[in-house]
Amino acid sequence: MITAEIPVNERERIINLKEYNILDTPAEESFDEIVKLASIICEVPISTISLIDEKRQWFKAKVGLAVTETSREVAFCAHAINGDNLMVVNDAMEDERFFDNPLVTSDPDIRFYAGMPLITPDGNKLGTICVIDRVPRTLTADQKFAMQILAKNVITLLELRLKNNNLSDTLTTLCGQSNEIERVNNINTRLLSILAHDLKNPLGVIQQVTEMYVAKQISHEDMDEIFVELKKNATNALNMLNEVLQWGTAQVEGKATDFKEFNLFDLVKHKREAYFLLLKSKGNRLENNCEAGLYFKADLNMMRFILRNLIMNANKFTKDGVISISTVDSDDFVEIVVSDTGVGMKPSQINRLFQWETRASSDGTSGEKGTGLGLLICNEFVLKHDGKIWVESALGKGSKFHFTISKLLK
């Protein structure tokens, strides 16, 4: 047996690994689903997400294995993190590194192994997502490509989890006085609820595209192009987390709203590009009918949040339709209208939209779930701009969300 060499950046790698606060944490459904998907795609009985610390490999998620960790000395994944690409061992009995390895000569009787390094944005390799079989075998080109995609998805989940943990830590740290605890806890609860609501959209697209690829509804060539959009999707999710974190920190610290002049046409243009896959998955088209030369003052993070929620709500309740954003300029305010050709609402539904106590959320046209929290925060943000928000809607005729921004803000 040949023990894997220690990476040249081992110290930085271990520090980076521990920053994620992932070791020895309970099972999480999002990670469990990825290893199940890897096992199905590669048609093997065993799959794991393995993280390598100083002395062991620990499994964050696994199928087909009973143990939760093994010694680093015997870990195949300890070899895999010394490379940048998928490491494949077609027959461990014929590989001088592993033929007498206890994981080969006894349970789980490894013969085939393929592990893709989990590479962080800093370039550190935390571990691998790997697939294992008890008989020699090979992987197809499509299966190898899928392993690369799944590894990137694991890193995306780790990044999102880290941002979420940092958010909670920041809010807790900022609470230094006992009379502030309740206020901070309320903000924390609402923020975490919003994050849980908004992250379903980008992560849902990643899952949907991966499932379509597994079902061979997307070709390998098409997946190359789609993966560029998936990367944008993950980046948008991280940007959204940063925006909400900035808002939450400002709320706890009591900072004033930051009004700056900006162009709504450009912001909507960016949103249309960012939400390409989300819109495409429902067959919807986003039209930017805002006045191109219109500039006005607003808090940019709040405007991003409002637009994101109104566009995503419109997409949720519209299929094979049109979502449009337009502006009405006047002397004292700018009115922004987000309309859709979706299923619409009854008057009783409209009356509950902006009340914390009576809020409700219906399933979308493709079964999307929600909490109704996004619109409540939108209402709060609009009020901070000395504006108001209201809805026009009828069943089967779509909806129009109007909100105003005062032009007298300083």
Side-chain angles (χ1 to χ4, degrees):
M1 183 184 79
I2 299 176
T3 302
E5 294 182 1
I6 301 298
V8 294
N9 66 334
E10 178 70 358
R11 182 175 178 276
E12 293 78 11
R13 191 189 71 82
I14 292 295
I15 291 174
N16 199 185
L17 171 61
K18 292 183 177 179
E19 286 173 345
Y20 284 91
N21 291 320
I22 190 73
L23 293 172
D24 300 308
T25 56
E28 297 176 53
E29 184 178 6
S30 52
F31 292 99
D32 291 342
E33 288 177 346
I34 288 180
V35 292
K36 291 176 184 176
L37 196 57
S39 180
I40 293 170
I41 293 172
C42 296
E43 300 176 316
V44 297
I46 301 170
S47 178
T48 75
I49 294 173
S50 304
L51 301 172
I52 308 294
D53 67 12
E54 296 94 334
K55 296 183 178 180
R56 59 177 177 154
Q57 70 168 346
W58 176 78
F59 305 127
K60 173 58 185 173
K62 56 190 173 67
V63 291
L65 280 182
V67 297
T68 59
E69 62 183 60
T70 73
S71 165
R72 178 172 177 171
E73 292 182 352
V74 300
F76 282 51
C77 296
H79 290 266
I81 64 172
N82 283 317
D84 296 325
N85 302 311
L86 184 72
M87 185 183 97
V88 179
V89 179
N90 295 319
D91 187 347
M93 291 299 292
E94 296 183 358
D95 192 305
E96 65 176 358
R97 297 170 295 177
F98 306 116
F99 74 94
D100 56 349
N101 186 301
L103 299 179
V104 175
T105 58
S106 59
D107 189 63
D109 302 309
I110 297 174
R111 290 297 179 273
F112 168 80
Y113 169 91
M116 183 67 199
L118 304 175
I119 306 175
T120 71
D122 294 329
N124 293 306
K125 296 151 193 171
L126 307 183
T128 74
I129 177 170
C130 70
V131 290
I132 295 169
D133 205 342
R134 296 184 176 90
V135 295
R137 58 172 301 130
T138 59
L139 290 182
T140 66
D142 285 348
Q143 288 170 332
K144 292 177 180 179
F145 183 67
M147 289 291 289
Q148 296 173 17
I149 295 174
L150 293 176
K152 292 179 184 293
N153 285 344
V154 172
I155 289 297
T156 298
L157 285 174
L158 287 173
E159 287 288 310
L160 294 175
R161 189 180 183 280
L162 177 61
K163 294 286 186 181
N164 199 5
N165 288 342
N166 287 344
L167 171 62
S168 297
D169 292 343
T170 298
L171 293 173
T172 301
T173 301
L174 291 171
C175 180
Q177 303 293 329
S178 59
N179 61 354
E180 289 288 290
I181 292 177
E182 184 175 356
R183 184 174 71 90
V184 173
N185 282 343
N186 287 337
I187 294 172
N188 193 11
T189 299
R190 290 160 79 177
L191 282 174
L192 293 178
S193 298
I194 294 166
L195 292 176
H197 170 265
D198 284 358
L199 284 178
K200 288 180 180 179
N201 288 316
L203 293 180
V205 168
I206 292 173
Q207 181 181 8
Q208 183 180 14
V209 170
T210 306
E211 288 175 350
M212 291 175 67
Y213 180 76
V214 174
K216 300 189 182 303
Q217 297 173 359
I218 302 175
S219 69
H220 183 79
E221 292 75 18
D222 289 340
M223 197 62 189
D224 285 338
E225 181 178 351
I226 290 173
F227 185 70
V228 175
E229 298 299 330
L230 284 178
K231 184 176 180 181
K232 291 181 184 178
N233 206 53
T235 300
N236 291 333
L238 291 174
N239 289 340
M240 182 272 292
L241 280 168
N242 284 324
E243 292 168 11
V244 177
L245 176 59
Q246 291 171 10
W247 174 78
T249 302
Q251 290 291 297
V252 175
E253 294 180 341
K255 291 182 178 178
T257 307
D258 186 17
F259 298 126
K260 293 182 178 179
E261 192 169 66
F262 81 108
N263 180 269
L264 184 66
F265 181 88
D266 291 340
L267 180 58
V268 174
K269 180 181 178 182
H270 173 74
K271 292 296 182 187
R272 183 167 61 182
E273 295 170 354
Y275 300 147
F276 171 78
L277 275 181
L278 288 168
L279 294 162
K280 184 178 180 180
S281 69
K282 299 291 293 288
N284 293 325
R285 183 175 79 255
L286 178 62
E287 293 183 349
N288 185 358
N289 297 321
C290 299
E291 184 180 336
L294 177 60
Y295 286 80
F296 59 93
K297 286 186 177 181
D299 184 293
L300 190 53
N301 277 336
M302 291 187 182
M303 287 299 300
R304 286 172 178 154
F305 184 93
I306 294 169
L307 283 176
R308 179 173 63 249
N309 274 270
L310 294 184
I311 293 171
M312 289 302 97
N313 276 346
N315 193 56
K316 176 181 176 182
F317 294 107
T318 305
K319 187 173 180 61
D320 299 322
V322 178
I323 301 165
S324 66
I325 304 176
S326 59
T327 52
V328 179
D329 189 20
S330 69
D331 291 337
D332 297 330
F333 61 85
V334 176
E335 180 181 341
I336 301 163
V337 184
V338 180
S339 61
D340 64 63
T341 59
V343 298
M345 292 179 284
K346 298 181 292 186
S348 59
Q349 292 174 291
I350 296 174
N351 293 336
R352 298 197 304 266
L353 289 178
F354 302 110
Q355 301 295 325
W356 280 91
E357 296 79 9
T358 60
R359 72 180 189 274
S361 178
S362 304
D363 290 351
T365 56
S366 297
E368 302 99 322
K369 304 295 181 181
T371 63
L373 289 165
L375 287 176
L376 300 174
I377 299 299
C378 286
N379 185 41
E380 291 189 11
F381 286 176
V382 169
L383 291 174
K384 287 183 180 294
H385 289 79
D386 295 337
K388 60 180 180 178
I389 186 169
W390 70 96
V391 185
E392 295 179 285
S393 185
L395 280 178
K397 297 183 179 180
S399 301
K400 287 186 177 181
F401 280 79
H402 304 250
F403 67 97
T404 58
I405 302 294
S406 172
K407 295 177 74 173
L408 304 177
L409 300 171
K410 297 181 180 180

